Amino acid sequence: MPRTGSLTDDLRESEQFRRRTIVAFLVVILMVTGIVARLVYLQVVNHHHFTTQADQNRVTVVPLAPTRGLIFDRRGRVLAENLPSFTLELVPERVIDLDATINELGRYVDISQNNIQRFYDQLQRKRRHDSIAIRSHLTEEEVARFAVNRHRFPGVEINARLLRSYPYGPLAVHTIGYVGQINEKEASKVNQTNYSATSYIGKIGIEKYYETLLHGQIGYQRVETNAQGRVIEVLDSIAPKPGSNLHLTIDAELQRIAEAILGDQRGAIVAIEPATGNLLSMVSKPSYDPNLFVQGIDHATFNALNNSPDHPLFNRILRGTYPPGSTIKPIIALAALEYNKIDANTSVFCPGWYSLEGDNHRYRDWKRWGHGHTDMKKAVAESCDVFFYDIAFRLGIDHMHEYMTKFGFGSTTKVDISDELSGIMPSRQWKRDARGLPWFPGETLITGIGQGFMTATPLQLARATAAIANRGTLVTPRVVRAISENGEEATTINLIDTVSEPIILKNENHWQAVVDSMKEVVHGAHGTARKIATNSPFTIAGKTGTAQVFGIKQDENYDADDLDKRLHDHALFIGFAPIENPQIAVAVIVENGGSGSSTAAPIAYQVLHHYLTTLADYGT
Amino acid sequence: MELKENAFQRWGEQRHQSWLVRRMHLDVPLTLALIALSMTGLAMLYSAGNQDLDLVYRQILRVGLAFSAMLVIAQIPPDQLKRWSPWLAGLGIALLIAVEVAGDVGKGAQRWLDLGFFRFQPSEIMKLALPMLLAWYLADRKLPPSLKHLAASALLIAIPVTLIVKQPDLGTSILIASSGVFVIFLAGISWRLIIFLSTVFAACLPLAWLNMHDYQKTRVLTFLNPESDPLNSGYHIIQSKIAIGSGGFYGKGFLQGTQSHLEFLPERSTDFIFAAFAEELGLIGGLLLLALYLFIVTRGLVIATQAQDSYTRLLAGSLTLTFFVYVFVNIGMVSGLLPVVGLPLPLMSYGGTSMVTIMAAFGVLMSIHTHRKMIRN
């Protein structure tokens, strides 16, 4: 090799190069040591930390919604169940053009205008990445048709979900209630963790009251997912604990018959087992189909229901506060007996009207020409108003309030259904608080016949009737008598306090006097409800009521033909049977139904009759 | 002529090589190590690519091409290489300018030259051409080089590096600049000058910062604090550290890495393949792999010290040390010691261009080692 440098130069350069190489090699060793130290730091010192992080990366906890408890009637008929349903769902965030997509979907799946409306309603309330159902209950064929074309619909998917279903539709809807999609307000109230996989919640009725029991306990699944979030493998899981099944005191068959008897009339029927407080049937008419609400009801349908003058959504059983009218007369009579204002033989002359001293206002009897000489039994049987004006005047509002309150008026019954109202049992105190006015004597008179300020719910009336049937035990009404876990026998439990304070009389014989007078209503020759029981195989104690919806001026006559139907009197009836061994107590109210004796009493009789003649089927 | 013999020089000396090996101009220890490394790379690629055999086949073709390049270059005598050095460097610089004028933009950087049948990066040529150029320039001068020659060398480095930085390709420019600096260092530049230049370099760093592209600044900032941007630029390094760290001492087992197989680890078969490797094979595997790289580097340095003239010494030393820089920068980046600069792990990462260049460099080493004249006796 031609070189210009000398041999010593070359040796020197070679030696220098070797030294430099050794330095470089040492630096290399140093840097490798640095890497090794780094690896030791990552893989040994912080191994645990990074293992945790790697697991957090790959392992996702997926909440599993528990299956909602079922609702059975008294005899095991399913009133609320969960049915698998294929739902067509869209994730708005992932759909490019919603209108076009929905339009295009319509070629494969039947989508109604209602479905679309409901979808857009929900779109406003939901987050962009939430899945929103546009159709539920897809047929197998629709599922297949969509599946073939699904690649054309990004962001659209079919999910199999368990949907709440009410096989009897509107039957007992006001009692059972319904579930609907959880809204933000409800979500903030429930245990977020337990509801993290749940999309439905009880909105009303038993579904709401027993939400905690029905819902069950959430389960979890630990899954391995990749960076895109797709599930690769299920690692382990904790099964959700299904909600408890509820067994109602309601009998679906009696309920069906009671609803049929009331027919198209607006009103309510409550039937209760006096000894236990078990509610046998609860009718509020008109009604509606709870299934409409499960997936979220569309605006048009909801508005139609909500704005209907018949108020089908209104639960008349425990939120309808009506003037009870003459149905409270037995209790007023009882109070008069107790305070020695009358005895069984005390007679009042009824000329057809009553006046307070120094006041020429005439308080009229429903019978224009009067009942003549009237004792208590006759007064109850024929519903003589003048007799009760007189004893109301003599008792005074304070004593009447005392006794009416003992029978539960003016306070809620604590039934196990949500949103009950208490009605009004007026008193001096109440009037001062509510109206800022003193109590006037005339108001005492009309309170004595269940008019004026006093209002009560059908449930309160049925309960008070049961207390008379029990001769003094005021029970707490209830609709759930037992719960069961999946696949297990139902256990009867008292979910609520069922027995309240007994009503203790100064003279226990007064019960018999009151019951006798109520018997006379149905079985007496002149009883207002005598027509219903001509062939009755059992004895009935009852009381009719006809409550004024609006005041009639002093010199006017009530003439149904001239009045708008909605201003007609409400027809009421309370009663229980058999008298000796009461099995059932009922309260019936027919809004604007006319008179209690002609409209409400026959309805009540049919309910009593059906129940008592088929009693053997019911058991307890 | 008597050369001072010591154990370091004697190490790996083959006195009884077969005719075939001698004719092929291969260095047996180096060849075996490179084959072992490639096999490890292919196995890891099989795992990191989710057992996609197509991917492995394609890489096998590239490995074959790269080894062929090595074999061909090993046949060329160093004298020939030395003569070509300035011309090759000139061609490289010309192509870099061509890229600047008419290059393809890929991944936000102008690096590629489309020659119709294949696209290639002229900067790859410079990885070989620049150390060759500098070795050629300095070898025939008196060493250690004078200040004048040093200044000329610095200019020779600056021209291609500036062009590559402008593309912009920080990783490659670091590599090429280092390869030039290594030649100067090995040529015997005085320590005082080294210290002085290092100080100047450090003082210039803020200036470099001002001239960096945004994505390069982000990488540096992300390196300093990956958690500042865990979803975007910090994601790579965080996931990579998780992969390595969760591998632990023994690793999760071949094909068992969750970070790589569940796709949390980005670029797991290319730049970040070491993280996938360390996750599955643990510290043990990582140490063995480092030992293999260290063996190759050591062998390369031995070849350099055994070289018979300045040109081959400087070239062999520079190429070997540049290879180590490759390894160090990649593993340092993947393990969070260094900022993320897009450099593959030699012979492990999926991808062709850089592997061909690297194996060509080893071809040069083998040529240097096997074309020595028998002057000992």
Side-chain angles (χ1 to χ4, degrees), chain A residues 84-141:
Chain A
S85 159
F86 289 110
T87 58
L88 185 65
E89 299 176 8
L90 283 78
V91 181
E93 192 178 60
R94 286 166 46 204
V95 178
I96 298 145
D97 182 342
L98 275 180
D99 289 327
T101 302
I102 291 171
N103 205 18
E104 188 65 16
L105 279 172
R107 291 177 51 195
Y108 306 102
V109 175
D110 190 24
I111 297 174
S112 72
Q113 208 51 46
N114 264 353
N115 293 142
I116 296 172
Q117 185 58 48
R118 198 169 60 185
F119 174 81
Y120 279 107
D121 289 347
Q122 291 197 38
L123 185 62
Q124 318 228 315
R125 296 196 293 267
K126 297 269 196 141
R127 289 167 303 188
R128 296 285 297 165
H129 55 83
D130 282 342
S131 182
I132 302 175
I134 188 162
R135 250 295 302 281
S136 54
H137 305 292
L138 298 178
T139 64
E140 297 278 336
E141 200 189 327

Side-chain angles (χ1 to χ4, degrees), chain B residues 95-333:
Chain B
L95 286 174
L96 280 177
I97 293 169
V99 164
E100 183 67 21
V101 177
D104 271 8
V105 177
K107 285 187 178 176
Q110 203 166 21
R111 298 175 183 175
W112 301 88
L113 203 60
D114 199 337
L115 298 182
F117 57 97
F118 90 124
R119 289 171 6 130
F120 97 120
Q121 298 185 34
S123 57
E124 290 297 328
I125 292 183
M126 289 315 292
K127 286 179 184 169
L128 281 178
L130 186 71
M132 283 168 80
L133 176 70
L134 281 173
W136 166 80
Y137 178 72
L138 292 176
D140 293 341
R141 328 241 173 242
K142 192 173 148 49
L143 296 180
S146 65
L147 269 179
K148 189 182 87 181
H149 295 144
L150 278 178
S153 307
L155 189 69
L156 290 178
I157 297 174
I159 292 168
V161 168
T162 310
L163 285 167
I164 296 168
V165 166
K166 278 192 73 178
Q167 285 182 352
D169 186 349
L170 194 62
T172 309
S173 55
I174 287 175
L175 276 180
I176 291 176
S178 331
S179 70
V181 169
F182 289 146
V183 174
I184 296 176
F185 172 77
L186 294 171
I189 178 175
S190 78
W191 287 107
R192 257 189 297 172
L193 202 53
I194 290 174
I195 292 165
F196 172 72
L197 289 175
S198 307
T199 316
V200 172
F201 177 74
C204 286
L205 275 182
L207 218 72
W209 172 258
L210 288 178
N211 283 310
M212 274 194 204
H213 282 258
D214 278 349
Y215 86 94
Q216 291 167 335
K217 288 185 184 176
T218 314
R219 279 180 182 178
V220 175
L221 288 176
T222 307
F223 156 67
L224 293 173
N225 182 16
E227 278 74 20
S228 67
D229 191 8
L231 286 183
N232 299 311
S233 31
Y235 183 79
H236 284 61
I237 194 63
I238 290 172
Q239 294 302 337
S240 174
K241 278 160 70 180
I242 293 174
I244 297 172
S246 65
F249 194 78
Y250 295 106
K252 296 175 184 173
F254 187 60
L255 301 177
Q256 304 297 314
T258 59
Q259 283 288 101
S260 56
H261 292 287
L262 299 175
E263 298 166 29
F264 289 101
L265 181 66
E267 306 288 338
R268 56 199 163 278
S269 47
T270 53
D271 287 359
F272 283 78
I273 198 165
F274 181 78
F277 179 88
E279 182 186 22
E280 296 193 351
L281 300 170
L283 183 64
I284 293 282
L287 291 178
L288 288 174
L289 187 68
L290 280 173
L292 195 51
Y293 278 118
L294 191 60
F295 174 83
I296 292 169
V297 169
T298 309
R299 181 67 194 155
L301 291 179
V302 166
I303 287 172
T305 52
Q306 289 178 352
Q308 288 170 332
D309 61 44
S310 286
Y311 174 74
T312 49
R313 271 200 289 267
L314 294 176
L315 185 57
S318 168
L319 290 177
T320 304
L321 290 176
T322 307
F323 175 78
F324 175 72
V325 169
Y326 244 119
V327 176
F328 180 77
V329 168
N330 179 276
I331 298 181
M333 151 185 111

